Each structure stands twice: as structure tokens, then as C-alpha cells.
Amino acid sequence: MKRFTILLSCLLLMINNVSMAQDFAPVGAMWHYTEQFAFQGDIDYLTIHSVKDTTILGYSCRRLDCKPLDGLPSRIQYIRFANDSLFRYVPEFNSFQLMVAFNAQKGDSWKYLVKDWDESIDTVIVKVNDVERITINQRSLRKLSVRYQVVNYDINGDSIRSEAYDSQIIERIGDIHYLFNFPISASIVIDGNYSAGLRCYEDAEFGLYSTGIAESCTYQYVYVGIKEPNNLSDLKFFPNPTDGWLHIDFGNLKDRSVQVTDLAGRCLMSETLNATQQIDLSALSNGLYIVTVMDKQKSIGHFKVVKNRNR
């Protein structure tokens, strides 16, 4: 009887360990992100929804339905999770590529390929700068502080520029900027939508996690202020990427202010500028930032800036 009790206890422990194993993106899981619009004050939300199990290339995987971002993957994505690693199916290459190694250690790195707008193939190198544990919903989870290094190539295969920005990846939840954190060249002003960070993640077993960057998972804001004719047509900013000083030429716009936020939506700087001014970003860590042009506390436009290391 004692032996049976021991065997039963071991069996229950094994079952419990299996049930506690991370199941990334279980069916029904939902992500909400803040959706920001360039050259508009509107704020909406983006969703990624895990909808069903399927099979691709012989692998069991999950289908995710997403609202696509400008320059980012299409609405339907397929992922698989194995050995504490997240892989994404890439139709352009008909293969799965490693997106996140949740069990990575400080100094580890991995890379994946993306096809650029001109059909050239770029390389994204993800390097782990630090690893720590955080507690969310009474669970101890790994958090990776990572740097995305993007090497852009032209159609002839020649390297034309390299950009970098920092982000964080949380076990079970993914990148706090966007689950499919594909970089867009920050040297180009994009008149479209982009993710400004994770608001909420939820699944039936894990529960709801809110980052607090918005009033709710589905918070929306529509800017209905007076529209100024050609209010940003003369806006210029340079250099981008920058190693410190960023010059902003407002053209005919007078006495505007700017806010600098990170990809999680945290405000890092706020300054009032004259017609032609500059701001010093040298105190910020290397990475990708959002600069918002303000008029009387109302957002009238955004652009992206890469802060590179001092030369």
C-alpha cells in the first residue's frame, strides 16, 4: 500500500508538472496593443487572437488572427512552440524561423530573415542583454531585455545600413512592443499605424494581465480638434539615426512642443521648441523612439527616430 501511495504521488507530480508547462498562445489567448497613427491624434487598439490548432510542414502549430500593421506580417499568422522557443512560419521561405528563445541566457543571440518592401532580404539579429524574473499573476516568469539589430540589404545583396533598438520579451506573453516585432526603417516617416506597446494579455489558464499603459484593453481616442491646413507638410527632422542631437524644423509652425516616448508608451522627454530647434537624445539608451509633435497638449503628428551609440 505504501508503495502504491508513493507511485500515485509521483504520477500526480508528473501530471502537475505537465499542466504547469508553458503552452504559448493557447487557443483563446488574446493580446491587445495600443494602435497609434502617424500624423493623427487618433488612438485605437490592435488585437492578436489564437483561434485554432493546425498542421504546417508536419508540425503542430497554432493559427493567430491579427490586425496587420503597416510593413508588418499579414492578418493570419502561424506559430509553433517547442523547447521553450517560439517559431513563426514564413510563407516567403516556406519554413519556420526562430522568433524567441525564452530559455536564452545573457549574451545569447539568434537571427531571422525578413523580406523588405523592395523584395530584398534583411537580417534581424536579436541579442539578449539581460535576463531577470518578474512575477505576474502569482507566476514567476523570465524577462529578456533584448536588442534588435537590423542589417538592411539592397536587391544586389549589399549592406546599406544597420539600425538597432531595444525591447523586452516576457515568458508566455512575448515582446511587449508587438508579438511579431518586425522593425520598420525609422529613417522613413510612415503615414500609417504602428504598435505603441502591449496593453493586455489574457488566456483562460493564465488570466488577465494589464500593463497599465491605457485606461482599458479596448481604450480608443478620436482627435476631433481643428485641423490646420498643411500643418505638418514642412516638418523635417535630421539626422536619423542620430547619436545625440536631433534637429527638428517645423517650417511655418510656431512654438510647438515635442514628447519622446519609448515603444512601451512611457514618456521620457517633453520640451517646448521654437520654429527651428533641436533636442538632445544622448541621455537615452540606444534604440527606437517615437517623437510626438504637440500643439496645445494635442498630438498632431508622430515620427520614429533611432538613437545609435555615440560615434
Side-chain angles (χ1 to χ4, degrees):
M1 182 67 181
K2 181 177 180 181
R3 181 180 180 186
F4 174 76
T5 302
I6 294 174
L7 289 174
L8 180 60
S9 299
C10 292
L11 179 60
L12 291 175
L13 180 60
M14 291 174 62
I15 294 174
N16 183 63
N17 287 339
V18 171
S19 65
M20 291 299 288
Q22 179 182 338
D23 180 19
F24 192 87
V27 173
M30 179 77 78
W31 292 257
H32 287 81
Y33 304 86
T34 289
E35 180 181 19
Q36 199 86 51
F37 294 84
F39 301 135
Q40 298 181 40
D42 296 352
I43 297 175
D44 208 333
Y45 64 93
L46 301 160
T47 58
I48 296 179
H49 186 203
S50 177
V51 295
K52 69 175 184 178
D53 294 319
T54 187
T55 301
I56 294 180
L57 300 180
Y59 293 106
S60 297
C61 57
R62 293 236 162 89
R63 168 178 159 170
L64 306 182
D65 285 359
C66 322
K67 180 178 180 181
L69 296 172
D70 292 332
L72 296 180
S74 60
R75 184 178 65 85
I76 298 176
Q77 294 293 313
Y78 298 95
I79 62 171
R80 68 181 185 92
F81 185 74
N83 301 320
D84 281 331
S85 297
L86 177 64
F87 300 84
R88 168 183 171 257
Y89 174 67
V90 185
E92 297 90 338
F93 308 117
N94 192 31
S95 64
F96 282 92
Q97 292 195 59
L98 175 63
M99 297 298 300
V100 179
F102 289 104
N103 57 358
Q105 303 299 316
K106 181 178 180 180
D108 289 348
S109 64
W110 61 89
K111 63 182 179 180
Y112 54 85
L113 304 178
V114 293
K115 185 169 286 189
D116 212 338
W117 60 272
D118 61 358
E119 297 300 311
S120 62
I121 297 176
D122 299 336
T123 300
V124 180
I125 302 171
V126 187
K127 183 176 180 180
V128 180
N129 291 329
D130 196 14
V131 179
E132 60 182 307
R133 299 201 75 90
I134 61 173
T135 300
I136 298 177
N137 292 358
Q138 291 78 54
R139 300 168 188 268
S140 178
L141 303 175
R142 289 166 59 86
K143 182 174 74 170
L144 311 180
S145 296
V146 300
R147 160 152 294 202
Y148 290 85
Q149 181 76 39
V150 189
V151 181
N152 301 90
Y153 297 90
D154 61 20
I155 57 176
N156 297 317
D158 296 323
S159 176
I160 55 177
R161 66 180 180 275
S162 180
E163 300 169 357
Y165 62 94
D166 298 326
S167 191
Q168 295 178 341
I169 299 173
I170 300 176
E171 186 179 9
R172 186 166 190 142
I173 296 172
D175 194 293
I176 63 170
H177 176 223
Y178 192 69
L179 182 59
F180 305 108
N181 193 0
F182 291 103
I184 302 174
S185 174
S187 59
I188 302 174
V189 176
I190 300 172
D191 188 6
N193 64 337
Y194 60 92
S195 174
L198 177 71
R199 292 182 179 183
C200 309
Y201 170 78
E202 182 176 18
D203 68 51
E205 194 272 333
F206 184 75
L208 173 66
Y209 166 60
S210 174
T211 63
I213 70 169
E215 294 180 6
S216 70
C217 298
T218 57
Y219 169 77
Q220 296 171 290
Y221 172 75
V222 179
Y223 176 55
V224 293
I226 298 174
K227 301 293 184 180
E228 298 178 282
N230 300 319
N231 58 354
L232 286 180
S233 60
D234 296 327
L235 179 65
K236 298 177 182 178
F237 57 96
F238 56 91
N240 191 14
T242 178
D243 59 7
W245 288 103
L246 177 70
H247 299 265
I248 304 175
D249 185 350
F250 290 104
N252 295 325
L253 304 180
K254 305 295 182 182
D255 300 323
R256 302 303 186 190
S257 63
V258 295
Q259 290 184 352
V260 180
T261 58
D262 62 16
L263 296 180
R266 294 182 290 263
C267 183
L268 306 177
M269 295 177 58
S270 180
E271 295 188 19
T272 299
L273 305 179
N274 296 319
T276 302
Q277 265 289 4
Q278 56 187 3
I279 55 176
D280 185 7
L281 305 181
S282 59
L284 301 181
S285 301
N286 295 332
L288 179 64
Y289 297 93
I290 308 299
V291 179
T292 302
V293 180
M294 309 289 292
D295 177 26
K296 299 177 181 177
Q297 305 304 311
K298 295 291 185 179
S299 169
I300 61 173
H302 314 268
F303 56 87
K304 302 180 183 181
V305 171
V306 171
K307 164 63 169 53
N308 280 343
R309 62 178 56 87
N310 292 331
R311 291 190 285 268

